[in-house]
Amino acid sequence: MTAAKILVLPGDGIGTEVMAPAVAVMQAAAAAVDCPLDIDEGLVGGVAIDATGSPLPEATLAAAQAADAVLLGGVGGPKWDHLPMSERPEKGLLGLRQALGLFANLRPALLFGPLAEASSLKAELVADLDILIIRELTGGIYFGEPRGVEQRDNERVGFNTLVYAEHEIQRIAKVGFELAQKRGGRLCSVDKANVLEVSALWREVVSAMHVDYPDVELSHMYVDNAAMQLVRAPKQFDVIVTGNMFGDILSDVAAMLTGSLGMLPSASLSASGVGMYEPVHGTAPDIAGQNKANPLATILSVAMMFRYSLDQPLAAERIEQAVAKVLAEGYRTGDIANADDADHMIGTREMGDRVLEQLG
Ligand code: IPM
Ligand code: MG
């Protein structure tokens, strides 16, 4: 069996800290299912700017293009906040998404039973929560042209463009319908069709595709209502499909329902099957370097990598079960701890060790 090529990009802030335990878990899970891995490491984001002057060095891009899967920690931090938009660490991440054609971003919000108390909502509202947000990732207002800031008359004017072509809507909606078929059979498409032409087109295109998926129950919701419904009655959702910026915002909301942004993994997939896997949380500069960060979002991202890029569902399940056991035993990093968890509070490295132990 040829080894799967994995590119590890720790990035900045807590990205480097959560990556070490995640890579250890990846190696242990791969060994358990006899899946040889060829792991390489590269630079992206602020550390890449410091070392090479670019947030996405050519060597990193080439390695990512040659890899079967990319595992990324996070990018950005106050050190680089003064840079102009086009030179910031975030450009490294956005450049990778675009260059690899990672148009489908899967952000599952799954509540592990023992964490119901850590949610900002009442436990009964989130018990057994299991929703999947599918965010379009290479189009919309993040990449639309024209964009910029220019002088008009006596003042500066900033502008961006929210644009979606039919084929972009169709390919992300297809992912939505197909994943809904594999899950609870319900798809909610989120837009702002009461105001935006691009959203009216989005709604029309998604609706037209429904005939091919008669077994899926399709609904549409305006994004403001969707934000409200997510905190009012989140269990009404199964799969949500939406554009780039709405998905960015709603996935942070959904993350918090599950207790902490520190728990949420994500997968970004291309048409060709290359995938990039990253925690939804950022680089958390306030706790960076203190062994406090929760590595579980990255560890769960590794599970998604085994499932979606390496076709090793067993390895994925083993990792997810190990995480569930560690949480059931009461171990907590600071972000998911209550007052009564004081004696089970552990750090980043220790949390990684507990998961490794459970993997056996
Ligand atoms: C995310 C992040 C990124 C985004 C930033 C870091 C560019 O918030 O992955 O959700 O806005 O897509
Ligand atoms: Mg975000």
Side-chain angles (χ1 to χ4, degrees):
M1 199 171 171
T2 57
K5 281 173 95 81
I6 312 297
L7 178 65
V8 170
L9 301 173
D12 307 314
I14 62 168
T16 52
E17 287 170 83
V18 294
M19 194 55 82
V23 168
V25 166
M26 172 164 75
Q27 284 167 321
V33 297
D34 273 326
C35 168
L37 299 181
D38 171 3
I39 303 173
D40 193 7
E41 197 173 308
L43 295 172
V44 74
V47 288
I49 294 174
D50 290 350
T52 72
S54 161
L56 179 56
E58 264 169 44
T60 301
L61 183 56
Q65 277 161 338
D68 295 301
V70 179
L71 185 65
L72 186 137
V75 296
K79 182 174 176 194
W80 305 281
D81 275 348
H82 66 282
L83 292 171
M85 194 76 76
S86 60
E87 294 165 30
R88 290 170 61 105
E90 287 82 352
K91 277 285 163 189
L93 177 59
L94 297 171
L96 272 173
R97 288 174 179 172
Q98 198 174 36
L100 300 177
L102 305 170
F103 70 93
N105 183 217
L106 277 41
R107 298 189 162 185
L110 185 99
L111 186 91
F112 285 86
L115 293 189
E117 295 298 328
S119 172
S120 41
L121 293 194
K122 291 189 208 84
E124 71 262 25
L125 285 181
V126 293
D128 303 316
L129 181 77
D130 178 2
I131 63 187
L132 174 64
I133 296 189
I134 302 175
R135 167 187 176 195
E136 198 290 327
L137 203 61
T138 53
I141 199 164
Y142 270 55
F143 295 96
E145 298 283 348
R147 62 189 297 159
V149 178
E150 64 184 34
Q151 196 74 28
R152 290 186 198 162
D153 299 326
N154 296 324
E155 60 179 351
R156 286 176 308 151
V157 174
F159 51 94
N160 288 88
T161 302
L162 174 45
V163 52
Y164 274 114
E166 284 180 291
H167 77 272
E168 293 175 294
I169 303 168
Q170 277 158 351
R171 66 181 181 183
I172 193 72
K174 180 168 185 276
V175 174
F177 280 114
E178 288 177 359
L179 286 173
Q181 280 178 326
K182 289 190 189 153
R183 292 173 41 104
R186 287 178 300 120
L187 178 65
C188 179
S189 171
V190 171
D191 61 41
K192 190 70 185 175
N194 50 343
V195 177
L196 305 174
E197 284 80 359
V198 54
S199 275
L201 177 70
W202 175 288
R203 194 175 276 222
E204 189 191 312
V205 169
V206 174
S207 297
M209 292 172 69
H210 192 196
V211 288
D212 297 329
Y213 305 91
D215 49 336
V216 173
E217 188 188 307
L218 174 67
S219 60
H220 301 274
M221 207 180 268
Y222 298 138
V223 63
D224 49 350
N225 185 26
M228 179 183 78
Q229 296 299 337
L230 271 173
V231 293
R232 192 188 74 87
K235 283 194 268 181
Q236 70 185 282
F237 296 106
D238 177 19
V239 180
I240 290 176
V241 66
T242 190
N244 205 340
M245 188 159 70
F246 296 160
D248 178 46
I249 298 166
L250 295 181
S251 60
D252 269 27
V253 176
M256 210 50 225
L257 303 177
T258 70
S260 166
L261 213 44
M263 291 300 301
L264 275 250
S266 79
S268 304
L269 308 175
S270 69
S272 68
V274 176
M276 184 158 86
Y277 299 84
E278 45 177 321
V280 172
H281 64 67
T283 53
D286 53 321
I287 57 161
Q290 299 173 36
N291 194 39
K292 280 185 183 163
N294 185 347
L296 294 179
T298 312
I299 288 172
L300 292 167
S301 298
V302 169
M304 291 187 90
M305 180 194 85
F306 279 111
R307 181 171 291 122
Y308 291 107
S309 282
L310 306 186
D311 198 20
Q312 296 282 356
L314 267 173
E317 278 159 34
R318 288 178 84 128
I319 293 172
E320 287 158 355
Q321 279 161 12
V323 168
K325 277 197 202 128
V326 170
L327 293 172
E329 283 179 354
Y331 292 106
R332 302 283 185 270
T333 43
D335 58 313
I336 48 175
N338 292 324
D340 19 312
D341 295 323
D343 53 333
H344 277 72
M345 274 271 280
I346 56 178
T348 311
R349 287 189 290 272
E350 295 70 27
M351 185 58 99
D353 291 343
R354 293 282 90 77
V355 175
L356 275 177
E357 222 170 75
Q358 287 299 339
L359 273 174

